[in-house]
Amino acid sequence: MAVTLPRPGSIGRQAGARRPAAPPFLWIPAVLVAGAVLLPVAYLIVRAAGADEGVLPLLLSPRTFRLLLNTVLLGAAVAATAVALAVPLAWLTVRTDLPGASLWRVLTVLPLVFPSYVGAFALITALGPTGLLQVILHRLWGLERLPELYGFPGAWLTLSLFTYPYVLLSVRAGLAGIDPAVEEASRVLGRSPWATFRRVTLPLLRPWIGAGGLLVVLYAFSDFGAVSMMRFDSFTTAIYLQYQGSFNRSYAAVLSLVLVALTVLVVFLEGRRGRVRYHRVGSATARLPRRVRLGRWRWPALALPAAVVAAGVLLPVAVIAYWLVVGLRHGETILLSLPPLVNSLYAALLAALLTVAAAMPVAILSVRFRGPLPAALARLSYAGYALPGIVVALALVFFGARYAAPLYQTLALLVFAYMVLFLPQALGPLRAALLQVSPAQEESARTLGRTARQVVWSVTIPLARRGAVAAAGLVFLTTMKELPATLLLSPIGFETLAMRVWSAATEALFARAAVPALLLVLASSLSMGVLLSQEGLRWRDE
Amino acid sequence: MRRVWVLVAVVLVVLAAGGIGPAAGEPAALTIYSGRSRDLVAPLFERFTASTGIQVRVRYGETAELAATILEEGANSPADVYFAQDAGALGALAFAGRLRALPEQILSRVEPRFRSADGRWVGVSGRARVVVYNTRRLRPEELPASIAEFAQPKWRGRIGWAPTNGSFQAHVTAMRLLWGNERTRRWLLGIKANGARAYRNNTAIVAAVGAGEIDVGFVNHYYLFAFLRERGPAFPARNYFFPGADAGNLVNVAGVGVVDTARAPAAQRFVEFLLSPEAQRYFAGETFEYPLVSGIPANPLLPPLAQIRTPQVDLNHLQALEETLKLLRETGLL
């Protein structure tokens, strides 16, 4: 087996690899998808054009700069924390003899099933100034007040805890695809396991860390629910305020365009990685990785997954269960309603399928073909993801009601909205999976007389299957939790679990919100099971 | 790879089917955009259908976002009726020319102070601004006679408010109309100097007062009752109304308007229904709001509406929020 060992500090660049021009059967659908994703930006430009000169003082005010700074700091802190949690957790649960590793593999991704506003509520209940922890500490040691949770610490903690699984799933997919022979060669050459991880494995994981990290940063930019519950003013707060306070859609559009500009900058910076080879050269099948023995660190290493699961899974489950009991005690009628559950599952499934189908041509283009168009298409897809849901929803209200009236307020438009919002979630895993597939396999299929189109269908897409399942799983989970677009664009009378939770919680009927919240979490957890069963993580024991 | 094609085809077919289904709804049905949550008003809509036989289709959402939606939908808006949580949002739609004038016989059921001056919307239930206080920390006698006094240093570290919340901003607008911009600015700065904690909405403030995070909060009167219903009478928070005709005693309304694109002739009947004794009693009994049609008593747990000495504020001017937002920005609260 021919294996190229990366040089220390750098990975072999694929210099001189010739890449053909993109064929129309790929770029036409990709351009259509990009056009769809750019609808919100088009809407913002239309609206911003209608702004009067009063928008300038708003745009240039110190507060606008402060909010922008808040948003940047939050995004950077959340992404750094998410990566710091996800990389060790991925390695521990996938590559080592951690006790109960397969159980921790499931548990450590579960925080993803909680909507961030539910997570924020759970953290406030537990760790707030007069929360459960304070009550306990008060009884024990008479502690009067905990350090302030509200503001930056709360927003940072909530978003880190409930979004790090995006990085975790991505990195685990990366670990599964790395040829262990590369790492083993490094060991043979005398590097310690730690040095091997740092010099070989980590650089190979970069696209996966980058893809997951980008999702987390942009999620932090666009989040409103958790951030506002934690009373942290980010740029999204300013945008919501324009809608809620003054109905001034032009001002809101101008502010939103600032967020678009910030997104472009972040996506550009993330995309500056050089063209690097992440796939094996030579034999098509990899050996199974060897399980790392943790030795005396085996039990202490449990502290990290245990702490994360306690805060990100047990805590919100306990809070929901508490409200369930309170509700039952005060005679709240618990109606286990089936239609919202079915609606949520159905819409999320359609969104997952459509989004993966839409992301596939963009992913293939951006990984396999050179040139400004493929690169630009992949980056454009982030446009909708970093915008607050209300902005994307109103954009589709605008275009839907005016130019696609028969589709307006139908399931079709709602699912389309989900695609616009969540395309990057599908794109990340798909691109990552394609990066690990050697173009040599496609080239040999061409040599054997297949057309470019046949190769894509019969070689490329099947090889990206694992990435496609991961992509569909992510989009499914996120769609289950989505609220602003669902509220404004769903067919009238179409109710989802997230809508039920929202409706009850806004009236402080937490006990009534508990049942739909529990169903939402359970349904998401089950789908997570399907997702994880496809991960195909295996290793050999020595 | 046939499988992928089949999958894509299935998605497209299902989407198309889904697209045709709900769009082909009965034209006779009434479409309501409700900024009031399902948990509060769905039973009321069911009663309307039961008594008139008219089907209703309801889109629930946030009041402001639904107003923005109607504005974006333009001439193709499916909405017949807009049911809003505050007068400001109704004013904004009326100002944009998107609400139809209502007949005098409907408008006259409600006092002029609770309806639009040019008859484009009508209030259906009243919501009073109050101070919610923690009963373990304060007795009602210890609370001041005017909301102005909360700017005094003795309230340092004890106040909660929601500068980003629509009903608070409406209240500040009322203060501006009553006190003028300068006095309102000084009051805002005084409360800010007292280290008031900013919450997201009324619910969060009532929860924080109940938990003892703060002693008092500026909220609408009915949020407390959801907590009392869920946690029982031991929940340590109660409402306080100012004794005089104070700026703190603003009574805002939840109201309704008929959208200019309305097709369903039943839109007006729905407005009439909301002003019927049945619906007015529902608000008194279920949402703890004030009925606005005379002759229907308020919930016995509340002081009667006539006893609340409200200041002279024209609710038609509450949509003049741009100036309020500017003031809140200048004082560093937004």
Side-chain angles (χ1 to χ4, degrees), chain A residues 34 36-42 44 218 222 256 259-260 263-264 267 377-388 391-392 420-421 423-424:
Chain A
V37 172
L38 283 180
L39 279 182
V41 180
L44 290 176
L218 299 182
S222 67
S256 301
L259 209 49
V260 171
T263 309
V264 169
V267 172
L377 286 179
R379 291 179 196 176
L380 282 178
S381 72
Y382 287 92
Y385 188 69
L387 286 170
V391 174
V392 176
V420 169
L421 280 165
L423 190 71

mmCIF file of all heavy atoms in Angstrom, chain A residues 34 36-42 44 218 222 256 259-260 263-264 267 377-388 391-392 420-421 423-424:
data_model
loop_
_atom_site.group_PDB
_atom_site.id
_atom_site.type_symbol
_atom_site.label_atom_id
_atom_site.label_comp_id
_atom_site.label_asym_id
_atom_site.label_seq_id
_atom_site.Cartn_x
_atom_site.Cartn_y
_atom_site.Cartn_z
ATOM 1 N N ALA A 34 -27.972 28.193 -5.417
ATOM 2 C CA ALA A 34 -27.355 29.417 -4.903
ATOM 3 C C ALA A 34 -28.315 30.596 -5.051
ATOM 4 O O ALA A 34 -28.427 31.440 -4.162
ATOM 5 C CB ALA A 34 -26.050 29.697 -5.632
ATOM 6 N N ALA A 36 -31.537 30.491 -4.982
ATOM 7 C CA ALA A 36 -32.572 30.364 -3.945
ATOM 8 C C ALA A 36 -32.047 30.877 -2.610
ATOM 9 O O ALA A 36 -32.735 31.606 -1.893
ATOM 10 C CB ALA A 36 -33.000 28.904 -3.812
ATOM 11 N N VAL A 37 -30.802 30.508 -2.309
ATOM 12 C CA VAL A 37 -30.234 30.892 -1.024
ATOM 13 C C VAL A 37 -30.003 32.400 -0.958
ATOM 14 O O VAL A 37 -30.019 32.990 0.123
ATOM 15 C CB VAL A 37 -28.927 30.108 -0.790
ATOM 16 C CG1 VAL A 37 -28.210 30.602 0.431
ATOM 17 C CG2 VAL A 37 -29.226 28.631 -0.641
ATOM 18 N N LEU A 38 -29.841 33.022 -2.123
ATOM 19 C CA LEU A 38 -29.591 34.466 -2.132
ATOM 20 C C LEU A 38 -30.870 35.306 -2.083
ATOM 21 O O LEU A 38 -30.804 36.525 -1.975
ATOM 22 C CB LEU A 38 -28.767 34.847 -3.358
ATOM 23 C CG LEU A 38 -27.281 34.490 -3.221
ATOM 24 C CD1 LEU A 38 -26.519 34.890 -4.462
ATOM 25 C CD2 LEU A 38 -26.666 35.166 -1.991
ATOM 26 N N LEU A 39 -32.048 34.629 -2.138
ATOM 27 C CA LEU A 39 -33.306 35.387 -2.070
ATOM 28 C C LEU A 39 -33.369 36.321 -0.855
ATOM 29 O O LEU A 39 -33.750 37.489 -1.007
ATOM 30 C CB LEU A 39 -34.504 34.424 -2.047
ATOM 31 C CG LEU A 39 -34.949 33.856 -3.402
ATOM 32 C CD1 LEU A 39 -36.175 32.963 -3.216
ATOM 33 C CD2 LEU A 39 -35.292 34.981 -4.372
ATOM 34 N N PRO A 40 -33.008 35.838 0.340
ATOM 35 C CA PRO A 40 -33.078 36.760 1.481
ATOM 36 C C PRO A 40 -32.202 37.996 1.286
ATOM 37 O O PRO A 40 -32.594 39.102 1.672
ATOM 38 C CB PRO A 40 -32.567 35.917 2.656
ATOM 39 C CG PRO A 40 -32.817 34.518 2.266
ATOM 40 C CD PRO A 40 -32.668 34.472 0.769
ATOM 41 N N VAL A 41 -31.035 37.820 0.675
ATOM 42 C CA VAL A 41 -30.147 38.967 0.475
ATOM 43 C C VAL A 41 -30.776 39.935 -0.529
ATOM 44 O O VAL A 41 -30.745 41.161 -0.335
ATOM 45 C CB VAL A 41 -28.753 38.504 0.006
ATOM 46 C CG1 VAL A 41 -27.845 39.702 -0.205
ATOM 47 C CG2 VAL A 41 -28.133 37.563 1.037
ATOM 48 N N ALA A 42 -31.382 39.363 -1.575
ATOM 49 C CA ALA A 42 -32.065 40.214 -2.558
ATOM 50 C C ALA A 42 -33.166 41.027 -1.878
ATOM 51 O O ALA A 42 -33.310 42.236 -2.107
ATOM 52 C CB ALA A 42 -32.652 39.348 -3.672
ATOM 53 N N LEU A 44 -33.328 41.870 1.241
ATOM 54 C CA LEU A 44 -32.735 42.893 2.110
ATOM 55 C C LEU A 44 -32.313 44.112 1.313
ATOM 56 O O LEU A 44 -32.468 45.250 1.764
ATOM 57 C CB LEU A 44 -31.536 42.310 2.872
ATOM 58 C CG LEU A 44 -31.891 41.290 3.954
ATOM 59 C CD1 LEU A 44 -30.632 40.702 4.571
ATOM 60 C CD2 LEU A 44 -32.754 41.930 5.030
ATOM 61 N N LEU A 218 -21.708 30.806 12.934
ATOM 62 C CA LEU A 218 -22.836 31.457 12.278
ATOM 63 C C LEU A 218 -24.127 31.232 13.060
ATOM 64 O O LEU A 218 -25.017 32.074 13.068
ATOM 65 C CB LEU A 218 -22.962 30.972 10.830
ATOM 66 C CG LEU A 218 -21.723 31.279 9.967
ATOM 67 C CD1 LEU A 218 -21.931 30.832 8.538
ATOM 68 C CD2 LEU A 218 -21.371 32.764 10.008
ATOM 69 N N SER A 222 -26.716 34.213 14.472
ATOM 70 C CA SER A 222 -28.135 34.332 14.113
ATOM 71 C C SER A 222 -29.067 34.039 15.274
ATOM 72 O O SER A 222 -30.249 34.341 15.197
ATOM 73 C CB SER A 222 -28.455 33.387 12.948
ATOM 74 O OG SER A 222 -28.338 32.049 13.379
ATOM 75 N N SER A 256 -29.470 44.045 8.925
ATOM 76 C CA SER A 256 -29.257 42.655 8.517
ATOM 77 C C SER A 256 -28.129 42.545 7.497
ATOM 78 O O SER A 256 -27.380 41.565 7.494
ATOM 79 C CB SER A 256 -30.540 42.064 7.922
ATOM 80 O OG SER A 256 -31.585 42.112 8.854
ATOM 81 N N LEU A 259 -24.902 42.137 9.059
ATOM 82 C CA LEU A 259 -24.679 40.749 9.468
ATOM 83 C C LEU A 259 -24.247 39.894 8.265
ATOM 84 O O LEU A 259 -23.394 39.012 8.393
ATOM 85 C CB LEU A 259 -25.971 40.198 10.079
ATOM 86 C CG LEU A 259 -25.853 39.106 11.136
ATOM 87 C CD1 LEU A 259 -24.855 39.471 12.210
ATOM 88 C CD2 LEU A 259 -27.217 38.824 11.754
ATOM 89 N N VAL A 260 -24.822 40.159 7.100
ATOM 90 C CA VAL A 260 -24.428 39.441 5.889
ATOM 91 C C VAL A 260 -22.951 39.711 5.587
ATOM 92 O O VAL A 260 -22.188 38.786 5.282
ATOM 93 C CB VAL A 260 -25.310 39.853 4.689
ATOM 94 C CG1 VAL A 260 -24.754 39.280 3.388
ATOM 95 C CG2 VAL A 260 -26.746 39.395 4.892
ATOM 96 N N THR A 263 -20.788 37.778 7.857
ATOM 97 C CA THR A 263 -20.788 36.368 7.456
ATOM 98 C C THR A 263 -19.836 36.128 6.299
ATOM 99 O O THR A 263 -19.057 35.169 6.305
ATOM 100 C CB THR A 263 -22.209 35.954 7.023
ATOM 101 O OG1 THR A 263 -23.110 36.333 8.048
ATOM 102 C CG2 THR A 263 -22.283 34.463 6.781
ATOM 103 N N VAL A 264 -19.906 37.008 5.303
ATOM 104 C CA VAL A 264 -19.028 36.878 4.145
ATOM 105 C C VAL A 264 -17.571 36.862 4.604
ATOM 106 O O VAL A 264 -16.769 36.032 4.171
ATOM 107 C CB VAL A 264 -19.275 38.034 3.151
ATOM 108 C CG1 VAL A 264 -18.194 38.082 2.080
ATOM 109 C CG2 VAL A 264 -20.654 37.895 2.510
ATOM 110 N N VAL A 267 -16.766 33.505 6.459
ATOM 111 C CA VAL A 267 -16.724 32.380 5.526
ATOM 112 C C VAL A 267 -15.465 32.474 4.665
ATOM 113 O O VAL A 267 -14.804 31.478 4.394
ATOM 114 C CB VAL A 267 -17.999 32.355 4.646
ATOM 115 C CG1 VAL A 267 -17.874 31.311 3.553
ATOM 116 C CG2 VAL A 267 -19.213 32.063 5.502
ATOM 117 N N LEU A 377 -19.920 29.438 -5.115
ATOM 118 C CA LEU A 377 -21.222 28.818 -4.839
ATOM 119 C C LEU A 377 -21.259 28.241 -3.430
ATOM 120 O O LEU A 377 -22.234 28.416 -2.700
ATOM 121 C CB LEU A 377 -21.508 27.707 -5.860
ATOM 122 C CG LEU A 377 -21.888 28.180 -7.258
ATOM 123 C CD1 LEU A 377 -22.109 26.990 -8.172
ATOM 124 C CD2 LEU A 377 -23.139 29.046 -7.201
ATOM 125 N N ALA A 378 -20.195 27.532 -3.050
ATOM 126 C CA ALA A 378 -20.181 26.905 -1.733
ATOM 127 C C ALA A 378 -20.244 27.953 -0.632
ATOM 128 O O ALA A 378 -20.910 27.773 0.375
ATOM 129 C CB ALA A 378 -18.932 26.055 -1.568
ATOM 130 N N ARG A 379 -19.573 29.066 -0.846
ATOM 131 C CA ARG A 379 -19.556 30.090 0.204
ATOM 132 C C ARG A 379 -20.867 30.860 0.270
ATOM 133 O O ARG A 379 -21.311 31.251 1.337
ATOM 134 C CB ARG A 379 -18.397 31.049 -0.036
ATOM 135 C CG ARG A 379 -17.100 30.319 0.217
ATOM 136 C CD ARG A 379 -15.915 31.176 -0.025
ATOM 137 N NE ARG A 379 -14.750 30.324 -0.140
ATOM 138 C CZ ARG A 379 -13.543 30.760 -0.428
ATOM 139 N NH1 ARG A 379 -13.361 32.039 -0.641
ATOM 140 N NH2 ARG A 379 -12.552 29.931 -0.508
ATOM 141 N N LEU A 380 -21.479 31.070 -0.905
ATOM 142 C CA LEU A 380 -22.746 31.800 -0.935
ATOM 143 C C LEU A 380 -23.810 31.103 -0.099
ATOM 144 O O LEU A 380 -24.700 31.734 0.452
ATOM 145 C CB LEU A 380 -23.260 31.900 -2.379
ATOM 146 C CG LEU A 380 -22.602 32.943 -3.256
ATOM 147 C CD1 LEU A 380 -23.185 32.876 -4.654
ATOM 148 C CD2 LEU A 380 -22.840 34.325 -2.652
ATOM 149 N N SER A 381 -23.694 29.776 -0.022
ATOM 150 C CA SER A 381 -24.767 29.023 0.619
ATOM 151 C C SER A 381 -24.936 29.398 2.085
ATOM 152 O O SER A 381 -25.944 29.082 2.699
ATOM 153 C CB SER A 381 -24.484 27.533 0.512
ATOM 154 O OG SER A 381 -23.423 27.200 1.373
ATOM 155 N N TYR A 382 -23.954 30.066 2.669
ATOM 156 C CA TYR A 382 -24.067 30.426 4.082
ATOM 157 C C TYR A 382 -24.926 31.674 4.306
ATOM 158 O O TYR A 382 -25.182 32.057 5.437
ATOM 159 C CB TYR A 382 -22.676 30.649 4.691
ATOM 160 C CG TYR A 382 -21.925 29.361 4.904
ATOM 161 C CD1 TYR A 382 -21.080 28.856 3.924
ATOM 162 C CD2 TYR A 382 -22.084 28.637 6.073
ATOM 163 C CE1 TYR A 382 -20.415 27.669 4.102
ATOM 164 C CE2 TYR A 382 -21.414 27.449 6.270
ATOM 165 C CZ TYR A 382 -20.574 26.970 5.285
ATOM 166 O OH TYR A 382 -19.919 25.792 5.469
ATOM 167 N N ALA A 383 -25.347 32.311 3.212
ATOM 168 C CA ALA A 383 -26.047 33.595 3.332
ATOM 169 C C ALA A 383 -27.255 33.505 4.261
ATOM 170 O O ALA A 383 -27.453 34.356 5.125
ATOM 171 C CB ALA A 383 -26.468 34.097 1.962
ATOM 172 N N GLY A 384 -28.092 32.479 4.065
ATOM 173 C CA GLY A 384 -29.308 32.400 4.866
ATOM 174 C C GLY A 384 -29.055 31.959 6.290
ATOM 175 O O GLY A 384 -29.762 32.341 7.214
ATOM 176 N N TYR A 385 -28.011 31.162 6.469
ATOM 177 C CA TYR A 385 -27.803 30.512 7.758
ATOM 178 C C TYR A 385 -27.435 31.497 8.864
ATOM 179 O O TYR A 385 -27.778 31.294 10.020
ATOM 180 C CB TYR A 385 -26.706 29.459 7.603
ATOM 181 C CG TYR A 385 -26.511 28.590 8.805
ATOM 182 C CD1 TYR A 385 -27.487 27.665 9.163
ATOM 183 C CD2 TYR A 385 -25.381 28.687 9.593
ATOM 184 C CE1 TYR A 385 -27.327 26.855 10.266
ATOM 185 C CE2 TYR A 385 -25.204 27.879 10.703
ATOM 186 C CZ TYR A 385 -26.178 26.969 11.034
ATOM 187 O OH TYR A 385 -26.025 26.171 12.125
ATOM 188 N N ALA A 386 -26.725 32.569 8.514
ATOM 189 C CA ALA A 386 -26.266 33.481 9.550
ATOM 190 C C ALA A 386 -27.278 34.575 9.848
ATOM 191 O O ALA A 386 -27.078 35.374 10.751
ATOM 192 C CB ALA A 386 -24.941 34.125 9.137
ATOM 193 N N LEU A 387 -28.365 34.613 9.071
ATOM 194 C CA LEU A 387 -29.377 35.643 9.306
ATOM 195 C C LEU A 387 -30.381 35.137 10.330
ATOM 196 O O LEU A 387 -30.684 33.949 10.374
ATOM 197 C CB LEU A 387 -30.099 35.978 8.002
ATOM 198 C CG LEU A 387 -29.309 36.806 6.999
ATOM 199 C CD1 LEU A 387 -30.041 36.849 5.660
ATOM 200 C CD2 LEU A 387 -29.102 38.218 7.526
ATOM 201 N N PRO A 388 -30.920 36.046 11.149
ATOM 202 C CA PRO A 388 -31.972 35.629 12.064
ATOM 203 C C PRO A 388 -33.145 35.045 11.271
ATOM 204 O O PRO A 388 -33.453 35.511 10.171
ATOM 205 C CB PRO A 388 -32.391 36.915 12.763
ATOM 206 C CG PRO A 388 -31.374 37.929 12.437
ATOM 207 C CD PRO A 388 -30.613 37.467 11.241
ATOM 208 N N VAL A 391 -35.761 37.226 9.453
ATOM 209 C CA VAL A 391 -35.376 37.927 8.222
ATOM 210 C C VAL A 391 -35.598 37.011 7.012
ATOM 211 O O VAL A 391 -36.184 37.417 6.004
ATOM 212 C CB VAL A 391 -33.901 38.373 8.294
ATOM 213 C CG1 VAL A 391 -33.454 38.960 6.964
ATOM 214 C CG2 VAL A 391 -33.715 39.385 9.409
ATOM 215 N N VAL A 392 -35.135 35.769 7.124
ATOM 216 C CA VAL A 392 -35.320 34.816 6.038
ATOM 217 C C VAL A 392 -36.812 34.559 5.821
ATOM 218 O O VAL A 392 -37.299 34.514 4.682
ATOM 219 C CB VAL A 392 -34.573 33.502 6.344
ATOM 220 C CG1 VAL A 392 -34.831 32.478 5.264
ATOM 221 C CG2 VAL A 392 -33.083 33.770 6.489
ATOM 222 N N VAL A 420 -33.255 26.852 2.447
ATOM 223 C CA VAL A 420 -32.490 28.102 2.396
ATOM 224 C C VAL A 420 -31.755 28.335 3.718
ATOM 225 O O VAL A 420 -30.608 28.765 3.752
ATOM 226 C CB VAL A 420 -33.440 29.279 2.090
ATOM 227 C CG1 VAL A 420 -32.739 30.616 2.304
ATOM 228 C CG2 VAL A 420 -33.975 29.167 0.682
ATOM 229 N N LEU A 421 -32.432 28.018 4.826
ATOM 230 C CA LEU A 421 -31.837 28.262 6.142
ATOM 231 C C LEU A 421 -30.709 27.288 6.458
ATOM 232 O O LEU A 421 -29.714 27.660 7.060
ATOM 233 C CB LEU A 421 -32.915 28.142 7.226
ATOM 234 C CG LEU A 421 -33.837 29.336 7.426
ATOM 235 C CD1 LEU A 421 -35.051 28.941 8.248
ATOM 236 C CD2 LEU A 421 -33.106 30.465 8.121
ATOM 237 N N LEU A 423 -29.010 24.883 4.388
ATOM 238 C CA LEU A 423 -28.139 24.304 3.365
ATOM 239 C C LEU A 423 -26.695 24.077 3.861
ATOM 240 O O LEU A 423 -26.124 23.019 3.591
ATOM 241 C CB LEU A 423 -28.146 25.185 2.113
ATOM 242 C CG LEU A 423 -27.469 24.573 0.893
ATOM 243 C CD1 LEU A 423 -28.298 23.423 0.327
ATOM 244 C CD2 LEU A 423 -27.235 25.616 -0.183
ATOM 245 N N PRO A 424 -26.100 25.029 4.583
ATOM 246 C CA PRO A 424 -24.711 24.819 5.016
ATOM 247 C C PRO A 424 -24.547 23.589 5.901
ATOM 248 O O PRO A 424 -23.494 22.974 5.907
ATOM 249 C CB PRO A 424 -24.392 26.082 5.816
ATOM 250 C CG PRO A 424 -25.364 27.088 5.356
ATOM 251 C CD PRO A 424 -26.598 26.352 4.984
#
